[in-house]
């Protein structure tokens, strides 16, 4: 886990064959402090929800957003949980960037597994 940038890459996801994503996440306490020079190195990303957001982008972490899912309330959910979301379309294999944007000073999140829901092929 990189404490400076909570971004994970999934290489060559078959977007033409999938319609959804399921991500298993783990929540960890932020029980450390960074000195000022190290704080400058942290990639802080905008979080549009109260408890944090899982964001899935195409190609890079600044690429087009394919899915955004709010994180559950840490006070009422276990430290390991699963989020599922539909993925916006695509036709070719594309790298996916998964970002967990917690609230400032909130816990850290690690990705355990990523699974895809296949499209119905008829």
């Amino acid at each position: 886990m990189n404490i400076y940038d909570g971004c994970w890459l999934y290489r060559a996801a078959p977007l033409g064959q999938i319609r959804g994503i399921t991500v298993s996440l783990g929540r960890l306490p932020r029980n450390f402090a960074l000195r000022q020079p190290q704080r400058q190195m942290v990639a802080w990303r905008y979080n549009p929800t109260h408890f944090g957001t899982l964001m899935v982008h195409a190609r890079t972490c600044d690429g087009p957003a394919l899915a955004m899912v709010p994180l559950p309330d840490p006070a009422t959910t276990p430290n390991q949980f699963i989020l599922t979301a539909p993925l916006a379309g695509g036709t070719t294999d594309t790298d996916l960037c998964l970002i967990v944007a917690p609230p400032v000073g909130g816990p850290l999140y690690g990705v355990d597994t990523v699974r895809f829901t296949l499209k119905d092929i008829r």
Side-chain angles (χ1 to χ4, degrees):
M1 175 181 275
N2 182 344
I3 64 171
Y4 295 104
D5 192 353
C7 165
W8 294 270
L9 286 178
Y10 188 106
R11 300 278 183 201
L15 288 187
Q17 301 171 29
I18 57 179
R19 62 181 169 88
I21 188 169
T22 299
V23 181
S24 174
L25 296 166
R27 182 175 31 251
L28 303 166
R30 189 181 298 264
N31 56 3
F32 58 88
L34 297 175
R35 296 174 57 102
Q36 189 57 35
Q38 288 83 19
R39 290 190 63 155
Q40 303 288 338
M41 297 168 45
V42 174
W44 298 104
R45 292 189 170 83
Y46 172 72
N47 168 30
T49 66
H50 186 68
F51 300 115
T53 307
L54 169 66
M55 298 178 272
V56 182
H57 292 264
R59 295 186 297 280
T60 69
C61 291
D62 296 322
L66 302 178
M68 296 181 87
V69 183
L71 298 178
D73 180 352
T76 60
T77 55
N79 286 332
Q80 291 183 306
F81 57 94
I82 295 172
L83 297 176
T84 301
L87 277 183
T91 57
T92 62
D93 290 2
T94 303
D95 292 346
L96 297 180
C97 175
L98 286 73
I99 302 168
V100 179
V104 173
L108 295 172
Y109 291 87
V111 173
D112 180 29
T113 59
V114 176
R115 296 175 193 241
F116 296 116
T117 304
L118 296 176
K119 289 181 179 177
D120 295 327
I121 301 174
R122 296 175 195 231

